[in-house]
Structures are given as C-alpha cells and as structure tokens.
C-alpha cells in the first residue's frame, strides 16, 4: 500500500511544470493541467511588477486571467494558470 502511495506521489512530480520570469528564475510550480501548487504569492508579486511569465518547458506565455478572478466568480477555489501545452 505504501509503495502505491509513493508511486502516485512520484507520478505527480513528473507531471509538474515550472513558471519562470523573463530572466529564467522559477516563480511557481503547476501541474500539467495548470493548477498552481506553489508560488502563489510570487506569481502575484511578479504580475503586479509587470513581469512576463513563461512556461519553462515551452517558453510560451502563461495566462494568469483565471488566477486573478474574484474567488466567488466560480465554483472552484483552485487557481489555474493556462497557456498552450
């Protein structure tokens, strides 16, 4: 049972993507479907400073529209970073 749990954790790790700023500094981490799992505050700061955020693996811009929506505007409380995958 523990081995299965460990596999699911490691499988989740392989499905992670990094969000970087223009200089290549890792700002946040997200799952392949765009759910932010770390760096929420750093993303907010970078966006407020007007930094361009990119997916590290593809170099494509990250759309943060869903992240900055009012929390009561949707039924989901998860923050989603989108962009071409």
């Amino acid at each position: 049972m523990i081995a299965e749990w460990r596999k699911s954790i490691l499988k989740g790790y392989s499905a992670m993507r990094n969000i970087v700023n223009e200089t290549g500094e890792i700002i946040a981490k997200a799952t392949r479907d765009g759910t932010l799992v770390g760096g929420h505050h750093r993303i907010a700061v970078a966006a407020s400073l007007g930094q361009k955020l990119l997916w590290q693996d593809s170099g494509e811009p990250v759309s943060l529209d869903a992240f900055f929506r009012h929390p009561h505007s949707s039924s989901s409380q998860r923050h989603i970073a989108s962009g071409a995958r």
Side-chain angles (χ1 to χ4, degrees), residues 25-40:
E25 178 185 6
I26 296 174
I27 299 298
K29 293 197 178 272
T31 61
R32 288 268 171 209
D33 69 357
T35 303
L36 294 175
V37 294
H40 297 78

Side-chain angles (χ1 to χ4, degrees), residues 35-56:
T35 303
L36 294 175
V37 294
H40 297 78
H41 183 258
R42 292 187 70 182
I43 277 203
V45 170
S48 70
L49 294 174
Q51 291 182 353
K52 186 175 180 182
L53 300 177
L54 310 163
W55 292 109
Q56 186 178 36

